[in-house]
């Protein structure tokens, strides 16, 4: 592969997972291209729920303002039984707190989430190359060659690494020969329709249950006249194709002829694939998002898990390209595959409950929000490490409200933002150790944050309302190392300098 231009990373697939990975890689100063076989950005509402943890990720990546502007909180369910519609609270609405700034699942059609990510990537000077399809993938010890076909012919792209985020039918996964273990129930199908609608209240997510697991649902899509319709088909039923047939099917089931569909914007027949890749990569090629795991739609987990795949992988690729040991990339699968396996179980149980009309299957809580997901016990967060009163290495690092020395306030997440590690020294002894902490000049740099308990400590920030102390379970001096993806890389409550240097070594050049 000598004498060829070699880029750092080629991302294949411009959905949420691939674009999130590309944004993270680009902001690290890497040479990145992102291609997608579709002729244009996705137009459907498909994955419409963005979970609180993903909102935090999108904030760090710089895409959150557009996502918030394009969505809303979820309405209550309206479960129709004959002429009655019973309100049902699927989500418990929560107020923001200092440690959880975005506590509620956000309703936004996927096409708006995609475009928010695409717009952020464009702000960073990179455009998605649509209409470019992978046809062949080969690799050696140094690089990967991807043959990509487009309207102007076939191009060979040489990259140090490739991220395959090209969906459940992933060409990357097939080129690697990686098994996709699980099931596809061909008899269990759902027709999804995005349509402009009149004659239906927009303050409810309407559900019309039926016998034998049949149901129709209609969820209002924010800032539009559209609903996402979900029509569960019987095993031998031909999906209604035209608008008149779809309307007739809705009227037959709902017995409400006052519902009118106007423009139909997008349709798809969905089959609940439940599959997990046997491995998350081979050599210099990695899988993310639906290329690595596919779920039922219940619980709004697939898009969120995929975005966080890209977020986990991005900083690790950046570190290895900067000189960190390549074994750091092994931790991607070790951390993310168990999460996907757990999520598959959760969404499958919820989907089965809906078929049985089990009301509990419609409830959504902390499991779906992904705030409690942890890498504790994994290769970068050993179970024998130190901990605080509330946190262990591998846990999500909470937000907090702090005061600067000049009296102005800031959020801890504002300090975290960007492609960096952050060290939080709480108390003067930990602060002295942080001053002595050596950090490599290559790769992700270290933000140093010193927090005092009183102004007399003379440290950079204060925690006057004890929001950091409470959320982080601090009872004395502590030095915490936060990874670039917002998870705790290390906790030191003693032996601050030596323990932190030892923990940082596998993650840095």
């Amino acid at each position: 592969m000598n004498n060829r231009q070699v880029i750092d990373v080629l991302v294949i697939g411009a959905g949420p997972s691939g674009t999130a990975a590309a944004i993270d890689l680009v902001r690290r100063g890497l040479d990145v291209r992102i291609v997608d076989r579709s002729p244009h950005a996705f137009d459907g509402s498909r994955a419409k729920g963005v979970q609180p943890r993903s909102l935090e990720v999108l904030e760090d990546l710089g895409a959150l303002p557009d996502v918030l502007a394009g969505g809303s909180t979820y309405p209550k369910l309206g479960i129709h039984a004959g002429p009655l519609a019973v309100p049902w609270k699927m989500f418990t609405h929560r107020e923001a707190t200092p440690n959880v700034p975005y506590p509620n699942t956000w309703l936004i059609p996927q096409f708006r989430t995609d475009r928010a990510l695409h717009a952020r990537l464009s702000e960073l000077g990179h455009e998605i190359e649509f209409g470019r399809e992978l046809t062949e993938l080969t690799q050696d010890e140094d690089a990967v060659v991807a043959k990509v076909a487009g309207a102007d012919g076939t191009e060979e792209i040489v990259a140090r690494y490739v991220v395959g985020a090209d969906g459940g039918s992933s060409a990357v996964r097939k080129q690697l020969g990686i098994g996709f273990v699980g099931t596809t129930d061909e008899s269990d199908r759902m027709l999804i329709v995005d349509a402009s609608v009149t004659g239906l209240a927009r303050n409810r997510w309407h559900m019309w249950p039926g016998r034998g697991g049949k149901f129709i649902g209609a969820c209002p899509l924010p800032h539009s006249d559209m609903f996402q319709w979900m029509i569960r088909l019987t095993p031998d039923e031909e999906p209604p194709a035209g608008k008149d047939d779809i309307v007739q099917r809705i009227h037959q089931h709902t017995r409400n002829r006052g519902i009118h569909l106007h423009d139909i914007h997008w349709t798809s027949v969905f089959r609940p694939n439940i599959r997990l890749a046997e491995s998350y990569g081979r050599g210099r090629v990695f899988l993310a998002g639906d290329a690595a795991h596919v779920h039922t739609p219940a619980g709004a987990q697939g898009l969120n898990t995929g975005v966080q795949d890209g977020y986990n992988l991005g900083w690790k690729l950046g570190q290895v390209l900067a000189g960190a040991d390549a074994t750091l990339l092994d931790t991607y699968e070790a951390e993310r595959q168990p999460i996907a396996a757990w999520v598959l179980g959760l969404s499958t149980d919820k989907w089965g409950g809906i078929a049985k009309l089990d009301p509990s299957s419609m409830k959504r809580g902390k499991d779906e929000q992904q705030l409690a997901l942890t890498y504790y016990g994994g290769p970068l967060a050993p179970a024998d490490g130190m901990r605080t009163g509330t946190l262990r290495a591998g846990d999500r690092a909470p937000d907090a409200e702090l005061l600067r020395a000049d009296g102005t306030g800031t959020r801890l997440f504002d300090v975290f933002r960007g492609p960096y590690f952050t060290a939080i020294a709480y108390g003067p002894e930990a602060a002295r150790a942080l001053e002595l902490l050596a950090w490599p000049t290559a790769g992700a740099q270290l933000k140093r944050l010193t927090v005092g308990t009183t102004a007399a400590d003379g440290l950079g920030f204060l925690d006057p309302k004890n929001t950091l102390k409470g959320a982080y379970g601090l009872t004395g001096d502590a030095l915490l190392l936060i990874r670039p993806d917002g998870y705790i890389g290390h906790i030191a409550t003693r032996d601050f300098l030596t323990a932190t240097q030892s923990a940082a070594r596998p993650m840095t050049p």
Side-chain angles (χ1 to χ4, degrees), residues 363-480:
K363 283 286 188 183
R364 302 290 183 264
K366 65 181 182 64
D367 286 346
E368 288 82 12
Q369 294 184 334
Q370 301 198 353
L371 292 168
L373 294 181
T374 182
Y375 302 131
Y376 173 73
L380 297 179
D384 59 357
M386 289 176 263
R387 59 171 300 163
T388 70
T390 57
L391 296 172
R392 309 161 300 184
D395 291 347
R396 163 190 170 268
D399 201 0
E401 295 174 350
L402 301 175
L403 279 184
R404 298 184 182 89
D406 63 6
T408 59
T410 187
R411 291 172 54 210
L412 186 57
F413 278 6
D414 288 337
V415 179
F416 286 173
R417 188 171 300 126
Y420 313 104
F421 286 83
T422 305
I424 304 172
Y426 184 80
E429 189 178 345
R432 286 191 290 271
L434 180 55
E435 285 184 9
L436 300 173
L437 180 64
W439 196 262
T441 56
Q445 292 305 288
L446 180 69
K447 289 185 177 180
R448 300 170 193 255
L449 177 68
T450 57
V451 183
T453 56
T454 68
D457 292 331
L459 300 179
F461 291 83
L462 289 175
D463 184 27
K465 298 180 182 178
N466 291 325
T467 61
L468 181 108
K469 180 180 180 181
Y472 282 74
L474 303 174
T475 56
D477 280 35
L479 183 56
L480 301 103

Side-chain angles (χ1 to χ4, degrees), residues 142-410:
D142 299 315
V144 186
V145 177
K147 290 187 178 180
V148 175
D152 54 354
T154 298
E155 178 188 6
E156 287 191 349
I157 303 173
V158 186
R160 296 297 182 201
Y161 292 97
V162 168
V163 177
D166 52 340
S169 59
S170 171
V172 174
R173 189 187 64 243
K174 292 171 182 175
Q175 287 281 329
L176 295 176
I178 293 175
F180 206 31
V181 179
T183 61
T184 301
D185 188 347
E186 296 291 345
S187 67
D188 188 2
R189 296 164 300 141
M190 181 91 74
L191 175 64
I192 310 294
V193 180
D194 291 349
S196 300
V197 175
T198 55
L200 194 60
R202 296 190 61 82
N203 65 343
R204 292 287 185 269
W205 180 347
H206 300 271
M207 286 282 191
W208 292 268
R211 293 180 180 177
K214 292 170 59 179
F215 72 85
I216 286 182
C219 183
L221 300 177
H223 314 307
S224 74
D225 62 354
M226 290 194 297
F227 280 77
Q228 183 198 69
W229 289 88
M230 296 147 284
I231 303 170
R232 198 167 195 173
L233 304 171
T234 58
D236 57 351
E237 181 179 1
E238 278 294 317
K243 183 180 78 171
D244 291 345
D245 291 338
I246 293 170
V247 170
Q248 182 181 12
R249 178 68 164 80
I250 290 170
H251 287 171
Q252 285 176 344
H253 186 96
T254 66
R255 302 183 185 279
N256 181 353
R257 294 192 171 273
I259 298 171
H260 299 286
L261 271 63
H262 304 286
D263 296 330
I264 291 179
H265 302 270
W266 175 75
T267 64
S268 178
V269 176
F270 172 86
R271 293 168 178 79
N273 289 298
I274 304 165
R275 294 183 180 274
L276 183 64
E278 290 181 323
S279 68
Y280 271 31
R282 188 157 293 161
R284 292 178 167 269
V285 184
F286 297 88
L287 303 176
D290 286 357
H293 46 80
V294 288
H295 315 250
T296 78
Q301 297 295 290
L303 178 151
N304 295 275
T305 304
V307 165
Q308 292 173 58
D309 287 344
Y311 195 53
N312 181 290
L313 180 58
W315 73 268
K316 294 173 180 176
L317 283 170
Q319 289 296 86
V320 171
L321 284 163
D325 194 298
T327 55
L328 178 62
L329 295 173
D330 296 338
T331 71
Y332 168 61
E333 177 179 313
E335 290 188 336
R336 294 304 300 169
Q337 193 180 49
I339 298 289
W342 180 83
V343 165
L344 278 170
L346 174 69
S347 66
T348 301
D349 288 346
K350 293 285 184 184
W351 183 255
I354 291 172
K356 298 172 185 174
L357 304 182
D358 176 6
S360 67
S361 67
M362 300 180 195
K363 283 286 188 183
R364 302 290 183 264
K366 65 181 182 64
D367 286 346
E368 288 82 12
Q369 294 184 334
Q370 301 198 353
L371 292 168
L373 294 181
T374 182
Y375 302 131
Y376 173 73
L380 297 179
D384 59 357
M386 289 176 263
R387 59 171 300 163
T388 70
T390 57
L391 296 172
R392 309 161 300 184
D395 291 347
R396 163 190 170 268
D399 201 0
E401 295 174 350
L402 301 175
L403 279 184
R404 298 184 182 89
D406 63 6
T408 59
T410 187

